[in-house]
Amino acid sequence: MNFEQLKPQIESIVSETNRTVDERLLSICQLLETHIEYYNWVGFYFRNGNKEELHLGPYVGEPTDHTVIPFGKGICGQVAVSNENFVVPDVAAQDNYIACSITVKAEIVVPVFVNGENIGQIDIDSNTPDPFTEADERFLEFICAKVAGIFS
């Protein structure tokens, strides 16, 4: 299934107001992990109140010990500070990378903004080297914009 085919399903999940936020976010993670072959771990991290740290939200994939990530640490922590997408074609080449699994080869993180404020991010790990393209970035930006609507 390509990104354009997945967009209506994302919109449908987001609009299911009878479900909790976490249920909807988990459904998004499941949809992506199931339908995009090189998305091997899909999850959301959110700012933990006023603290300078991220807290793991719903995710699909191998369990992780990284449930709290300080701002600036790892790829997710760097995105919390920079407010910009971060595409890592080869995690082994990153000095400030937090390894979740030895099988992970690449990562992409895209922030979620509500009223101009970075409240969290979608984090995707891939076991495929250098799989992410500009199309992935645009698709994940679309998802983050839809997710932001849940919180605004």
Side-chain angles (χ1 to χ4, degrees), residues 81-99:
V81 174
S82 74
N83 297 322
E84 295 178 0
N85 300 351
F86 199 155
V87 181
V88 182
D90 177 6
V91 295
Q94 282 293 317
D95 290 339
N96 190 3
Y97 172 69
I98 302 172

Side-chain angles (χ1 to χ4, degrees), residues 12 19 38-40 48-50 53-54 57 61 63-64 66 80 85 92 96 101 103 107-108 110 123 134-135 145 152:
S12 175
R19 298 174 69 207
Y38 54 94
Y39 285 18
N40 302 110
N48 190 4
N50 290 327
E53 65 185 23
L54 298 166
T64 180
H66 304 114
N85 300 351
N96 190 3
S101 166
T103 61
E107 182 173 10
I108 185 170
V110 175
D123 178 21
E134 188 174 327
S152 52

Side-chain angles (χ1 to χ4, degrees), residues 31-107:
L31 181 74
L32 298 181
E33 194 271 338
T34 300
H35 292 289
I36 302 173
E37 183 181 326
Y38 54 94
Y39 285 18
N40 302 110
W41 191 96
V42 180
F44 288 93
Y45 281 93
F46 291 98
R47 184 181 185 123
N48 190 4
N50 290 327
K51 296 179 183 175
E52 297 277 305
E53 65 185 23
L54 298 166
H55 189 267
L56 180 61
Y59 74 94
V60 173
E62 292 291 317
T64 180
D65 293 334
H66 304 114
T67 57
V68 176
I69 298 176
F71 279 24
K73 182 121 172 88
I75 308 308
C76 290
Q78 290 177 73
V79 169
V81 174
S82 74
N83 297 322
E84 295 178 0
N85 300 351
F86 199 155
V87 181
V88 182
D90 177 6
V91 295
Q94 282 293 317
D95 290 339
N96 190 3
Y97 172 69
I98 302 172
C100 292
S101 166
I102 59 169
T103 61
V104 174
K105 304 291 186 229
E107 182 173 10

Side-chain angles (χ1 to χ4, degrees), residues 10-25 27 146-147 149-152:
I10 296 292
E11 290 174 323
S12 175
I13 291 168
V14 167
S15 68
E16 294 173 352
T17 54
N18 57 323
R19 298 174 69 207
T20 68
V21 170
D22 280 357
E23 287 171 340
R24 289 183 271 172
L25 295 176
S27 289
K146 295 300 175 186
V147 165
I150 296 173
F151 294 97
S152 52

Side-chain angles (χ1 to χ4, degrees), residues 124-144:
I124 310 221
D125 291 344
S126 179
N127 300 339
T128 304
D130 195 12
F132 304 116
T133 66
E134 188 174 327
D136 290 278
E137 277 193 82
R138 299 298 83 82
F139 178 59
L140 295 173
E141 288 168 351
F142 167 84
I143 291 171
C144 289

